[in-house]
Amino acid sequence: MKKNYQVCSRCVMDTSAADITFDEQGVCNYCTSYLKMLSEIEVSAEELEKSRHEFHAMVKAHGNGKPYDCIVGVSGGVDSSYALYLAVQNGLRPLAVHLDNGWDSEYSQSNIENLVRGLGVDLHTHVIDWPENRDMQCALFKSGVIDIEMIMDNAQAATNYKQALKYGLKDILSGTNTRTEGMPQAPGWTHYKFDVKNIRAIQNKFGREKIKTHPLMSTLDWIYFEYIRKVMWHNYLDYFIYNKAEAIEILKNKFQYVPYRYKHGESVFTRFYQNYILPEKFGVDKRRVHHSTLICTGQMTRSSALDDLKGNPYIESGEAADDQIYVLKKLGMTKDEFCDYMLLPPVPHQNYPSEMNMLKILSRIYKAFKRQS
């Protein structure tokens, strides 16, 4: 039975999240669970400083005798840029790693260049084979699945792990964090990022080229990197009381950083996908979960979040129309083909071969092992 529309009285999650529930005060399960999780991991300032000191000592020890201490993946966005800045501020010798998939926005490259030059760190940029990437993206469009960004997210992770192995490094410091990204996405809003079986099945069905060079990592690859080679992925900003607005000001003042108007504005395609395709085709507005996270951590008021959600400035300003022209031309897609795509019903990722069942089995085995140990 279809639910009546309702928005949470504490955050801005609403009934567009299929599994949302509300208590008697109209507070949703999303912010309740998120705040409970925050309270469980929250430590005193002294404890946080102690854990941060121990973490940096561990990373330095791992990097002893090597050209770098760690990898920091940089997209040109605020979170990853600030993570790189903090790593250097705390005496680490990071290698910055960037994945160029052909969609860097007008400011992302200059932001990265100013940052690495100002910090004096080396930058490794992996440039993806464009014809192959374009064919894979077009295949994902034709498949009808929601997460047409999964090949980018997967490739970023794969590139970071491979660079870590190349230099014998044990630590990847990521801009992912709990305080601005910790509230989970609703079911069906995204897909498991390491589902290479899903990516390959879609490419085999709808693509025209073989995947030869595109960086990819599967569930088993992740297990190999993390548990066999002992390369660890860290949510580095969780070692600090991370405030996004303060981070932007520091980056602007020190590195002439140009902030983006929209989340993930460092990529033209991600900007178009998150702010146009997701809400217009799939009815998913990720600003709800992003804003709700910031509300819960005191970085945004609920009233300002609700004001922002009254419209879609990306579409209303005409930027979506400009990006659409650019994206379609770059992908070799006609406007009619794109309009047809927008009208087609969504197709679940599970309609194609997937690693999800294997992931569930491995997860059960891991939990059983943890209970016995």
Side-chain angles (χ1 to χ4, degrees):
M1 186 171 64
K2 189 174 181 180
K3 292 179 180 176
N4 292 327
Y5 181 77
Q6 187 173 353
V7 59
C8 177
S9 60
R10 180 164 55 195
C11 68
V12 291
M13 289 298 288
D14 68 358
T15 40
S16 61
D19 64 340
I20 197 167
T21 58
F22 301 92
D23 66 15
E24 292 178 351
Q25 285 73 46
V27 175
C28 79
N29 56 320
Y30 275 82
C31 60
T32 298
S33 298
Y34 176 60
L35 286 168
K36 181 173 183 291
M37 184 266 289
L38 278 181
S39 69
E40 290 171 350
I41 65 173
E42 203 166 72
V43 296
S44 67
E46 291 77 16
E47 290 173 311
L48 184 63
E49 183 177 355
K50 181 174 182 290
S51 67
R52 184 164 63 236
H53 177 77
E54 291 172 349
F55 175 75
H56 287 134
M58 178 194 74
V59 175
K60 287 176 185 175
H62 287 164
N64 189 28
K66 297 169 185 171
Y68 308 102
D69 291 325
C70 58
I71 298 291
V72 179
V74 288
S75 65
V78 178
D79 300 340
S80 62
S81 297
Y82 195 58
L84 183 64
Y85 164 73
L86 288 174
V88 175
Q89 286 295 105
N90 284 278
L92 298 180
R93 302 173 299 126
L95 171 65
V97 175
H98 176 59
L99 181 76
D100 180 356
N101 69 342
W103 292 110
D104 284 350
S105 67
E106 56 270 38
Y107 293 121
S108 63
Q109 288 193 351
S110 60
N111 279 339
I112 292 172
E113 287 171 5
N114 289 339
L115 188 66
V116 297
R117 188 185 305 117
L119 292 171
V121 302
D122 290 343
L123 171 68
H124 169 79
T125 298
H126 180 91
V127 181
I128 282 184
D129 180 84
W130 173 246
E132 191 173 315
N133 187 75
R134 178 179 58 194
D135 193 57
M136 292 173 72
Q137 286 194 290
C138 289
L140 283 163
F141 270 99
K142 293 172 184 174
S143 73
V145 299
I146 189 169
D147 199 345
I148 52 179
E149 273 282 270
M150 64 188 295
I151 58 170
M152 174 65 175
D153 297 325
N154 188 297
Q156 282 181 326
T159 303
N160 286 338
Y161 277 105
K162 287 175 182 174
Q163 285 300 306
L165 287 191
K166 178 180 177 179
Y167 292 103
L169 306 178
K170 296 296 183 186
D171 302 287
I172 298 172
L173 278 54
S174 168
T176 50
N177 69 95
T178 305
R179 289 183 60 80
T180 66
E181 300 178 329
M183 189 177 289
Q185 303 283 333
W189 285 18
T190 186
H191 187 63
Y192 173 51
K193 300 301 183 183
F194 296 155
D195 196 348
V196 169
K197 189 175 183 179
N198 202 241
I199 293 172
R200 291 192 181 281
I202 289 171
Q203 181 65 17
N204 289 339
K205 186 175 178 64
F206 299 103
R208 290 181 295 189
E209 299 195 12
K210 295 288 184 186
I211 303 175
K212 295 178 180 176
T213 63
H214 202 286
L216 290 174
M217 62 179 288
S218 66
T219 306
L220 294 179
D221 290 330
W222 178 79
I223 291 172
Y224 170 74
F225 288 135
E226 287 274 336
Y227 293 96
I228 306 299
R229 300 301 299 268
K230 306 292 186 186
V231 180
M232 293 174 286
W233 184 283
H234 305 280
N235 292 338
Y236 181 51
L237 296 180
D238 282 346
Y239 286 95
F240 304 83
I241 301 174
Y242 179 51
N243 183 292
K244 188 182 283 280
E246 292 174 2
I248 290 173
E249 287 305 308
I250 290 172
L251 294 173
K252 283 168 61 178
N253 293 332
K254 291 183 176 292
F255 307 104
Q256 298 82 49
Y257 184 86
V258 179
Y260 312 102
R261 190 174 178 189
Y262 310 102
K263 187 170 175 64
H264 294 307
E266 65 271 19
S267 162
V268 176
F269 184 79
T270 306
R271 180 171 70 197
F272 184 61
Y273 168 68
Q274 291 222 355
N275 296 288
Y276 185 82
I277 293 177
L278 275 181
E280 295 296 308
K281 177 178 172 64
F282 296 97
V284 170
D285 190 342
K286 286 194 173 183
R287 290 179 300 170
R288 290 199 174 274
V289 72
H290 297 151
H291 288 358
S292 293
T293 306
L294 295 178
I295 291 168
C296 289
T297 54
Q299 299 185 55
M300 190 177 206
T301 66
R302 184 171 180 273
S303 60
S304 61
L306 288 171
D307 284 343
D308 184 63
L309 290 167
K310 285 178 181 175
N312 186 332
Y314 178 67
I315 295 175
E316 293 153 5
S317 66
E319 289 177 75
D322 292 340
D323 281 353
Q324 180 178 315
I325 293 170
Y326 179 79
V327 168
L328 297 189
K329 183 177 181 181
K330 199 168 172 69
L331 289 176
M333 186 183 293
T334 68
K335 188 171 183 180
D336 286 343
E337 288 172 335
F338 181 71
C339 290
D340 290 343
Y341 161 76
M342 292 296 287
L343 293 173
L344 289 174
V347 176
H349 280 268
Q350 289 77 6
N351 278 20
Y352 305 100
S354 169
E355 297 182 21
M356 291 303 293
N357 286 336
M358 179 179 70
L359 180 66
K360 291 175 183 174
I361 293 170
L362 290 173
S363 180
R364 284 199 292 268
I365 293 172
Y366 177 76
K367 288 176 181 175
F369 177 78
K370 290 287 285 183
R371 281 197 297 270
Q372 292 178 355
S373 62

